[in-house]
Amino acid sequence: MRASRLLSLLLLLQTRGRMTATELARELEVSVRTVYRDVEALSSAGVPVYSDRGPAGGYRLLDGYRTRLNGLTAEEASSLFLAALPGPATQLGLGEVAANAELKLLAALPPEPRSHATRMRERFHLDVPGWYRGADEAPFLTEVSEAVWDQRPLRMTYRRWGPRDVERVAEPYGLVLKGGSWYMVAAVGGGEPRTYRVSRIVSAEVLGGRFERPAGFDLAAYWERYAADFRRRMYTAEAVVRVAPGVEGLLRYTVGDDAADIALAGAGEPDERGWAVVRLPIESVRHARWLLLRLGTDIEVLEPPELRALMAETAAALVTLYGEAGG
């Protein structure tokens, strides 16, 4: 355990430069006193680690010192190849670079981790898009990724929901791949970050100059908040429905995990036939009509009245259609 911690401390100093004992203790989840002992152990083992005193002080390695020991276990090496995304890397123009990096990593690994990594690559494959839709076509993804990487403004024409495209000069902070679709997180005119679907960019030009990213901007944290807010905004209404026993899985598949979780968590007591009344979040009455029709006679809409009437109207039209076909 201590050997692993000493290696982690060494790699932290190698990758981050000067760090205080408090920072090291926080990263390693140990006490500051333990850090003192570990640094002394590294120094005794011949590692050139030095202490700088003063407000800006801390521990650092001798300039130019690098260790060749990567410390990867077989499982850690395997996980790196499981996390590889050759498809998205190719979309970003990094396919060849990623392939070369994989070859170099394999060559640098000792025999046992190399064997584990090779088996992982042979036995697991990550396919990002869902079953019922392919990945978005994003012809300007290269320009967007260049602007993100180099912190350069991007002039774009963006196709919003509506009749007109809009012109924007954006400062892209990052890219997110969600379910086969790329999203750009960017600010316009010094405003708050917003999210743009890259496939809706119909023209793009990387401009000269550079912009400054906001200090402390965390792309992953932003996306988590955005996704949670998106789910809240998506459900603007509620339907009261009766569901047949045993269709919980089909309900989840039809309306999605978020809506199904909310509905099933508040389900009433089943009646004598096993049917239960639930309150189901919906996007709109018309959208709910198409979703709930997929459940056939395993669901009955009770409220709102307009949704119940729409379901009855659609069912009557189906009877008419298939009655005529059968006649």
Side-chain angles (χ1 to χ4, degrees):
M1 182 67 180
R2 191 188 186 200
S4 174
R5 191 176 68 242
L6 289 174
L7 175 60
S8 296
L9 193 156
L10 175 58
L11 292 176
L12 279 170
L13 292 177
Q14 181 171 298
T15 55
R16 300 192 188 180
R18 181 186 291 109
M19 295 183 69
T20 66
T22 302
E23 290 171 337
L24 287 166
R26 184 168 56 248
E27 289 288 340
L28 299 171
E29 298 182 349
V30 296
S31 67
V32 172
R33 186 176 296 274
T34 298
V35 170
Y36 293 154
R37 289 198 297 264
D38 287 349
V39 169
E40 184 178 349
L42 284 177
S43 182
S44 298
V47 176
V49 56
Y50 293 91
S51 173
D52 294 329
R53 300 187 180 277
Y59 293 108
R60 65 182 180 87
L61 296 174
L62 180 69
D63 290 344
Y65 176 81
R66 306 289 291 179
T67 176
R68 293 191 169 206
L69 181 62
N70 59 43
L72 287 175
T73 66
E75 291 76 14
E76 289 168 342
S78 301
S79 70
L80 293 176
F81 291 92
L82 182 60
L85 296 172
T90 300
Q91 287 180 299
L92 291 170
L94 298 172
E96 184 176 351
V97 174
N100 288 340
E102 183 177 333
L103 288 174
K104 290 178 180 179
L105 178 57
L106 276 174
L109 290 174
E112 184 182 357
R114 185 188 308 137
S115 174
H116 276 258
T118 300
R119 288 203 303 274
M120 181 69 75
R121 185 178 55 181
E122 292 172 347
R123 288 161 173 77
F124 294 93
H125 174 67
L126 180 60
D127 185 13
V128 176
W131 278 110
Y132 301 105
R133 57 185 297 271
D136 278 353
E137 292 292 329
F140 295 99
L141 181 59
T142 300
E143 287 82 355
V144 173
S145 62
E146 179 184 340
V148 168
W149 185 254
D150 293 334
Q151 292 181 220
R152 295 172 62 185
L154 183 78
R155 179 184 287 122
M156 65 177 180
T157 303
Y158 189 73
R159 179 158 296 153
R160 298 190 300 188
W161 292 114
R164 298 183 61 183
D165 298 341
V166 295
E167 301 288 334
R168 293 284 187 269
V169 174
E171 297 179 349
Y173 296 161
L175 278 166
V176 176
L177 179 62
K178 171 72 170 178
S181 299
W182 287 97
Y183 295 87
M184 175 181 72
V185 178
V188 174
E192 291 296 314
R194 299 181 63 183
T195 302
Y196 299 86
R197 193 162 178 164
V198 178
S199 62
R200 293 190 192 144
I201 297 177
V202 296
S203 71
E205 177 189 2
V206 181
L207 303 179
R210 286 170 57 87
F211 64 86
E212 290 300 320
R213 286 170 56 89
F217 177 76
D218 187 323
L219 179 62
Y222 167 87
W223 184 259
E224 184 177 353
R225 293 192 302 270
Y226 171 82
D229 183 60
F230 177 82
R231 288 192 294 269
R232 285 193 297 268
R233 289 185 286 108
M234 183 170 63
Y235 300 117
T236 60
E238 185 179 72
V240 180
V241 300
R242 292 175 66 239
V243 293
V247 299
E248 291 83 359
L250 184 58
L251 179 68
R252 188 178 300 279
Y253 172 78
T254 302
V255 303
D257 288 338
D258 290 331
D261 285 342
I262 294 172
L264 295 174
E269 288 296 322
D271 61 18
E272 63 277 4
R273 296 173 53 204
W275 287 60
V277 176
V278 302
R279 307 186 76 88
L280 180 69
I282 59 175
E283 294 183 41
S284 67
V285 167
R286 291 196 170 273
H287 183 260
R289 184 260 304 263
W290 294 117
L291 285 182
L292 299 182
L293 280 172
R294 299 167 68 181
L295 292 166
T297 57
D298 287 327
I299 195 166
E300 178 190 2
V301 174
L302 304 178
E303 298 176 18
E306 56 268 32
L307 177 55
R308 184 177 176 90
L310 198 56
M311 296 286 286
E313 176 187 320
T314 306
L318 287 170
V319 169
T320 301
L321 175 64
Y322 286 103
E324 292 175 353

